[in-house]
Amino acid sequence: MIVRGIICDINGTLIDINTDEGNEQIYRSISHLLKYYGIRTSRTDVREGYYQILKEQRRASGEEFPEYDAVAVWREFVVSRLERSGASMTKNKLTQLPHFMAELFRGISLNRLELYPEVREVLDELRPNYRLAALSDAQSAW
């Protein structure tokens, strides 16, 4: 067998990532952000609503180990809270805000995002003899 190329997963293989999705600052910050848009909600509502929508999205996939769409979770959350609060939002803002919320969520939850030691050296050593590619199933917003 001749190996001509090597494909590496990014997170957990090349990059050491550690997050804390239980960090209350995430939910507090998002509730404050939403107040700016006229949506009054508590950090508890943000946390519980996020996990409820996430759970429903995963259940609906029918897969044993489903991935989820973070932007879609936040879009559903915003739409439901807009309806509940009677606030309104332009279509453009409703497209942009959930993407930003997914980025904000990841940014605040992130404890570490760095290459594992010696990754550059290993890739530099492999590059002359193999075609290299990186692949990820990470959220597009992240």
Side-chain angles (χ1 to χ4, degrees), residues 53-64:
I53 295 166
L54 179 65
K55 182 178 172 182
E56 291 168 4
Q57 192 185 89
R58 285 180 166 162
R59 187 179 315 130
S61 79
E63 297 175 14
E64 186 176 354

Side-chain angles (χ1 to χ4, degrees), residues 3-91:
V3 177
R4 295 187 180 168
I6 299 172
I7 300 173
C8 299
D9 181 43
I10 294 177
N11 290 334
T13 303
L14 302 176
I15 294 177
D16 183 9
I17 182 170
N18 177 273
T19 60
D20 177 7
E21 295 181 0
N23 182 343
E24 283 299 309
Q25 186 60 37
I26 300 165
Y27 310 104
R28 181 180 302 119
S29 297
I30 289 174
S31 72
H32 285 295
L33 174 68
L34 292 174
K35 285 176 192 167
Y36 179 78
Y37 293 103
I39 301 171
R40 297 230 176 265
T41 186
S42 68
R43 66 179 166 182
T44 302
D45 179 55
V46 172
R47 182 181 53 251
E48 291 174 0
Y50 171 81
Y51 282 108
Q52 181 61 40
I53 295 166
L54 179 65
K55 182 178 172 182
E56 291 168 4
Q57 192 185 89
R58 285 180 166 162
R59 187 179 315 130
S61 79
E63 297 175 14
E64 186 176 354
F65 301 105
E67 288 295 322
Y68 68 100
D69 182 341
V71 173
V73 170
W74 287 116
R75 184 177 302 109
E76 186 175 335
F77 183 87
V78 169
V79 167
S80 69
R81 293 333 186 254
L82 279 169
E83 291 170 357
R84 189 170 73 183
S85 70
S88 63
M89 189 172 287
T90 66
K91 185 177 178 180

Side-chain angles (χ1 to χ4, degrees), residues 13-16 112 114-122:
T13 303
L14 302 176
I15 294 177
D16 183 9
R112 184 176 52 257
E114 58 192 25
L115 287 175
Y116 281 111
E118 302 176 14
V119 165
R120 287 187 195 275
E121 292 84 357
V122 169

